[in-house]
Amino acid sequence: MSTKKTQPEEKGFFEKIKETIEEFWDGTKETAEDLKEKAEDKIDDLKESVSAKKKPVAKKVATAKTAVDKKVAATTTAAKKEVANVKAKAAVKAKAVTDKAKTTTAAAKKTAASVKAKAATKAKAVTDKAKTEITAVKKAAAPKVAAAKTTVAKPATTAKRKVAATKKA
């Protein structure tokens, strides 16, 4: 008997995958080459059509550019006029506001000065009244204070004598 197998050898899993990938790769290469050729043909066609249309488009661009330049110039002039008008109106309004602020400030200063003067005279009157009342109270209290001082002085001298007597003893 022989040791050789009679059945054909089966391909392994990875070998089958490898063959499938090679088939895909070959198909992809062919498809890529076909697409490349088609793209080159299309590019050539587009170049021809663009060069044919280029001259009329250039003329249209030039006329459109001059029209746009004219519109820009007109718009710029109108904008400058509007800016000048707005500046003039703003200057007039600012002057009016400044004048009003000056008159309001002057009136406020006058009011403050009159209030300050009234407060000063009122304070002086109150101070004078207080001074007169204080002097009246001092005059009324002077005899009583003098009497109190003499009565307080007598016991103080008596107390000093007692302290001196106790020290000697």
Side-chain angles (χ1 to χ4, degrees), residues 92-124:
V92 169
K93 198 164 195 168
K95 187 174 182 341
V97 168
T98 304
D99 292 343
K100 187 175 181 181
K102 285 180 182 177
T103 56
T104 305
T105 304
K109 284 182 180 178
K110 286 179 184 177
T111 306
S114 66
V115 167
K116 192 175 181 181
K118 286 179 184 177
T121 55
K122 182 106 175 173
K124 187 174 181 181

Side-chain angles (χ1 to χ4, degrees), residues 6-75:
T6 55
Q7 293 181 345
E9 208 172 297
E10 281 190 39
K11 293 182 181 179
F13 176 74
F14 292 109
E15 289 177 7
K16 288 181 183 178
I17 290 177
K18 184 179 176 184
E19 285 179 4
T20 308
I21 290 173
E22 286 175 357
E23 289 173 10
F24 282 136
W25 180 253
D26 291 338
T28 306
K29 268 184 158 179
E30 290 172 8
T31 308
E33 289 173 1
D34 291 341
L35 288 174
K36 183 179 177 184
E37 288 174 7
K38 286 181 183 178
E40 288 174 354
D41 292 340
K42 189 69 173 177
I43 288 173
D44 291 338
D45 292 342
L46 289 174
K47 282 183 181 177
E48 290 173 9
S49 65
V50 166
S51 63
K53 293 180 182 178
K54 201 172 193 179
K55 292 178 184 174
V57 170
K59 289 180 185 176
K60 288 180 185 177
V61 167
T63 56
K65 189 175 182 182
T66 55
V68 167
D69 288 342
K70 287 179 184 176
K71 284 184 181 180
V72 166
T75 305

